[in-house]
Amino acid sequence: MQFSKVIGQEHIKQSMVEAVANGRISHAQLFLGPEGNGALPLAIAYIQYLFCKNRTATDSCGACPQCNNINKLGHPDLHFVFPLALSKDVEKSTDVFPKWKEAFLQNNYMSLTDWMNYLDAENKQPVIGVGESKDILHQLSMTSYEGSYKVMIVWMAEKMNLVAANKILKILEEPPDKTIFILITESTQLPVTILSRTQITKIPRLTEEEVATALMQRNGQSKEVALSVARSAEGNYRYAQVLLTENEDAVFFSKKFQDWMRICLRMDGEKLSEWIGSADSGISTIGRERQKQFLAYSIQTIRKSLLIGKLAISIDAGEQDFLTKFSPYVPLESGEVIFDELNKAYHAIERNAHPKILFTSLSLRIHDLLAASRKLVTA
Ligand SMILES: [Zn+2]
């Protein structure tokens, strides 16, 4: 992770470069700032700059063995502690480090929620528990491989439980030789004793321009989309990514739904099997979570088509045209049945129903319901 791969935060990068150049590296540092500010990639870029054998005046080289190892999060002197869904088999970060590494390498700006989702542990409390402190001491007591610093980055340090915090405080008070601790936190809800032992650096939220530029360069967005998403993201690049996905999903679902209803109306078997099974966008290939989202979108759209012209509802321009043409085919009675069928399908997907079979029979059912009213509309 080079500084150049970290969005914005130019002042902070500058002061890190100076700290390394002057050899003034504090052994206990705390990075404080809101989600999506890039504090974690920044901390890693900082350590890479410190370890790099060929650093320039502004960045690490990105190519020496030190840089290579850090890039893969595989440097023997760089350790990580992070919140876990504690269980009998998972008591300390090293127990699931390969997974965490995988999640981080996929998205350097992942949030704590992303990480818990990655573990399939959405409903568990993320905790840095007491099992961690022994492991930290163990890892830091080993001689550094490269004969230089040993570094421990504690991500989301506010999730330390009290016992863990007290043990870590002891280590901060009497640190093993040549060690650097970087605690990363989004809130100051840490014991005062820890706050007072660390050198605090505030990592601010990104500016709108920085987020917009990142969306254009990293996510290939047009200037127009990038600016509009950046405006809503409030300096949180992670949230900007979420908004972008939602945007893309909305466009995809809307097209997919409109195609589906047209196919159901006329029941074109060939088109239906493509709609269901095509490798790039077939409904059976997009994964269970998105199938559920699509069904939720469909339920909402059927509801809108029942209400259009009767109640003031918010409909965007793209939908307006489709719904005006479509709603005559969905009189209240069949609309309510379709509504129920979609709901049932949603729960069936949750219970691992076979998507191909489910969407085929659902389409036939919807065809029957639409066909009945089609006679009326075209009569
Ligand atoms: Zn290097």
Side-chain angles (χ1 to χ4, degrees):
M1 175 73 53
Q2 289 178 279
F3 282 129
S4 62
K5 301 271 161 49
V6 180
I7 302 166
Q9 309 295 12
E10 299 307 329
H11 286 304
I12 296 177
K13 291 175 187 171
Q14 185 56 37
S15 59
M16 288 173 166
V17 163
E18 281 163 16
V20 171
N22 303 331
R24 281 204 318 262
I25 313 282
S26 163
H27 85 268
Q29 308 188 31
L30 185 128
F31 291 2
L32 168 68
E35 183 190 292
N37 61 357
L40 177 58
L42 196 57
I44 295 171
Y46 177 34
I47 298 308
Q48 182 163 322
Y49 188 71
L50 175 67
F51 281 12
C52 176
K53 297 291 184 213
N54 273 319
R55 59 176 170 252
T56 69
T58 55
D59 212 337
S60 52
C61 76
C64 71
Q66 302 281 339
C67 283
N68 273 330
N69 284 335
I70 294 182
N71 247 334
K72 294 182 289 195
L73 299 195
H75 196 290
D77 294 327
L78 175 59
H79 307 281
F80 295 91
V81 167
F82 40 83
L84 304 169
L86 295 176
S87 72
K88 208 158 66 0
D89 304 320
V90 178
E91 294 178 335
K92 52 192 193 306
S93 299
T94 41
D95 294 337
V96 285
F97 180 64
K99 260 204 146 162
W100 188 81
K101 181 167 86 172
E102 204 175 83
F104 173 80
L105 293 176
Q106 267 178 33
N107 187 352
N108 300 168
Y109 281 77
M110 74 171 168
S111 65
L112 183 57
T113 313
D114 293 330
W115 166 231
M116 293 315 276
N117 286 343
Y118 205 81
L119 287 177
D120 282 326
E122 296 88 339
N123 304 321
K124 293 211 175 154
Q125 276 299 327
V127 179
I128 297 177
V130 65
E132 213 70 68
S133 49
K134 237 196 226 160
D135 208 43
I136 293 178
L137 272 177
H138 172 68
Q139 294 192 58
L140 293 183
S141 64
M142 289 188 289
T143 325
S144 127
Y145 285 76
E146 306 288 344
S148 172
Y149 289 102
K150 285 164 291 176
V151 179
M152 179 68 66
I153 294 180
V154 183
W155 182 58
M156 303 302 294
E158 65 269 45
K159 295 297 172 192
M160 285 189 286
N161 69 22
L162 204 61
V163 186
N166 280 331
K167 299 240 171 185
I168 286 175
L169 179 66
K170 284 233 162 62
I171 308 174
L172 290 179
E173 282 171 337
E174 292 164 36
D177 197 29
K178 288 204 105 177
T179 52
I180 300 171
F181 265 88
I182 300 179
L183 309 185
I184 298 177
T185 173
E186 290 175 7
S187 92
T188 47
Q189 291 192 335
L190 280 163
V192 183
T193 40
I194 288 204
L195 293 174
S196 66
R197 290 269 162 203
T198 51
Q199 179 196 64
I200 299 178
T201 306
K202 287 191 177 159
I203 317 282
R205 59 183 76 249
L206 298 167
T207 65
E208 219 169 275
E209 291 72 28
E210 285 166 342
V211 173
T213 309
L215 290 173
M216 287 188 275
Q217 289 172 352
R218 295 167 175 240
N219 306 80
Q221 293 302 312
S222 68
K223 192 170 179 188
E224 195 193 353
V225 173
L227 285 173
S228 128
V229 170
R231 212 167 298 134
S232 313
E234 299 185 329
N236 177 341
Y237 177 64
R238 176 58 199 133
Y239 184 47
Q241 289 176 321
V242 172
L243 290 175
L244 212 57
T245 314
E246 281 175 4
N247 249 349
E248 285 163 358
D249 277 352
V251 172
F252 174 74
F253 290 157
S254 152
K255 166 142 188 1
K256 197 80 190 156
F257 179 78
Q258 296 185 14
D259 289 349
W260 190 26
M261 291 303 112
R262 286 191 191 103
I263 293 167
C264 287
L265 208 55
R266 317 239 162 238
M267 195 34 75
D268 182 327
E270 206 173 302
K271 280 195 179 149
L272 180 62
S273 75
E274 200 189 318
W275 184 87
I276 292 176
S278 91
D280 59 333
S281 64
I283 198 75
S284 66
T285 66
I286 63 172
R288 233 162 255 286
E289 255 333 288
R290 297 189 78 215
Q291 285 161 358
K292 277 164 58 186
Q293 288 166 9
F294 171 73
L295 287 166
Y297 172 88
S298 305
I299 290 168
Q300 223 178 45
T301 311
I302 290 290
R303 193 177 152 268
K304 283 182 187 170
S305 90
L306 292 174
L307 296 177
I308 193 170
K310 302 184 186 82
L311 276 178
I313 44 171
S314 88
I315 296 175
D316 66 51
E319 280 182 320
Q320 177 84 39
D321 191 41
F322 169 78
L323 285 178
T324 310
K325 288 184 191 143
F326 176 63
S327 66
Y329 294 97
V330 197
L332 188 59
E333 210 169 294
S334 45
E336 278 174 349
V337 184
I338 295 176
F339 198 89
D340 285 346
E341 294 289 339
L342 291 168
N343 260 312
K344 274 190 244 163
Y346 182 96
H347 294 296
I349 290 286
E350 255 181 348
R351 292 190 306 267
N352 290 339
H354 191 287
K356 250 184 193 168
I357 297 172
L358 179 125
F359 278 100
T360 307
S361 74
L362 181 59
S363 303
L364 294 172
R365 180 81 178 113
I366 292 175
H367 166 70
D368 285 343
L369 291 158
L370 293 180
S373 36
R374 188 174 150 213
K375 283 186 199 125
L376 297 173
V377 175
T378 47

